[in-house]
């Protein structure tokens, strides 16, 4: 599969995939500040212009590499607000787990001041909108009070996921079943459900 550049020239999908993989490896090992497009091009045996045709800036390249493999996922609709929010949060778990490497360079690059807005626009805002739609549906179904702050609920779940999988990943390691129970308890508390 190829993509077209703004001038209509097709891009080589295999080279695109290799560039993104090389960028992820370099971000992980050396960090965003030390990411050099010239080095990536030399390592892959392509010209810098082949990279710049795809991503016009270093932050755009880093954002694309980080998000490569992330999935927006489907908006769950089980009929139950708690189940839907747990499933929505678990999609974030899968994305974070899929992006984990041996270092923390990708995570640090994600929060770079020039990279974060690109990731937010391309991915996080869409995930947040899905979460807001789940919560609005819960209000319509009478499963959630309308006066609760939807952004606080979603931000709490996202923050919990990030903290749990990055700061406490091995302290102690928890099974998926344990994590799902924790998510279910957290969601119930956030939406004011006791059962």
């Amino acid at each position: 599969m190829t993509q077209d550049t703004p001038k209509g020239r097709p891009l080589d999908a295999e080279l695109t995939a290799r560039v993104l993989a090389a960028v992820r490896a370099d971000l992980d090992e050396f960090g965003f500040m030390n990411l050099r497009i010239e080095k990536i091009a030399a390592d892959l045996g392509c010209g810098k212009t082949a990279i710049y045709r795809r991503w016009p800036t270093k932050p755009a390249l880093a954002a694309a590499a980080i998000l490569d493999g992330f999935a927006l996922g489907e908006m769950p609709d089980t009929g139950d607000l708690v189940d839907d929010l747990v499933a929505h949060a678990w999609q974030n778990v899968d994305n974070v787990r899929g992006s984990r490497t041996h270092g923390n360079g990708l995570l640090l690059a994600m929060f770079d001041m020039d990279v974060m807005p690109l990731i937010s626009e391309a991915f996080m805002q869409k995930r947040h909108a899905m979460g807001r739609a789940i919560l609005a549906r819960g209000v319509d179904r009478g499963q959630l009070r309308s006066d609760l702050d939807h952004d606080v609920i979603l931000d709490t779940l996202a923050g919990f996921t990030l903290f749990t999988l990055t700061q406490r990943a091995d302290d102690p390691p928890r099974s998926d079943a344990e994590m799902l129970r924790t998510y279910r308890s957290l969601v119930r508390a956030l939406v004011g459900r006791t059962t």
Side-chain angles (χ1 to χ4, degrees):
M1 177 181 200
T2 60
Q3 64 189 76
D4 289 337
T5 64
K7 295 180 182 174
R9 205 161 112 195
L11 297 176
D12 176 358
E14 187 268 333
L15 178 59
T16 298
R18 289 191 310 128
V19 170
L20 293 175
V23 170
R24 276 192 301 279
D26 274 22
L27 286 173
D28 194 46
E29 187 170 351
F30 306 115
F32 178 71
M33 295 302 294
N34 296 313
L35 179 66
R36 299 290 177 257
I37 294 176
E38 298 81 6
K39 178 187 177 301
I40 298 292
D43 289 350
L44 296 176
C46 68
K48 290 187 302 184
T49 56
I51 296 173
Y52 281 116
R53 280 178 47 218
R54 291 161 170 82
W55 306 281
T57 65
K58 186 169 97 167
L61 174 59
I66 291 165
L67 291 176
D68 185 46
F70 273 39
L72 279 175
E74 299 294 323
M75 192 165 74
D77 187 2
T78 65
D80 180 74
L81 175 63
V82 171
D83 289 341
D84 290 348
L85 280 177
V86 169
H88 180 70
W90 200 259
Q91 290 169 347
N92 288 335
V93 170
D94 287 339
N95 283 326
V96 172
R97 282 180 172 169
S99 70
R100 291 297 304 271
T101 53
H102 70 277
N104 63 2
L106 281 178
L107 182 63
L108 293 174
M110 183 185 305
F111 289 101
D112 178 88
M113 295 298 287
D114 294 322
V115 176
M116 182 53 129
L118 300 172
I119 289 175
S120 179
E121 181 181 342
F123 184 78
M124 295 168 84
Q125 290 175 16
K126 294 172 185 172
R127 289 283 302 154
H128 193 80
M130 290 171 71
R132 286 186 62 81
I134 291 168
L135 291 166
R137 190 175 59 210
V139 170
D140 292 344
R141 290 176 175 168
Q143 298 173 341
L144 180 68
R145 292 187 355 237
S146 61
D147 62 331
L148 292 178
D149 189 324
H150 294 185
D151 291 328
V152 168
I153 293 169
L154 296 172
D155 292 348
T156 300
L157 286 170
F160 177 77
T161 299
L162 185 62
F163 184 81
T164 300
L165 295 178
T166 61
Q167 298 301 307
R168 297 189 62 203
D170 300 318
D171 180 34
R174 296 190 296 172
S175 69
D176 283 358
E178 291 172 308
M179 285 184 64
L180 281 166
R181 281 193 296 276
T182 301
Y183 272 100
R184 186 168 298 287
S185 295
L186 178 58
V187 168
R188 283 186 182 132
L190 289 169
V191 301
R193 292 256 302 264
T194 56
T195 59

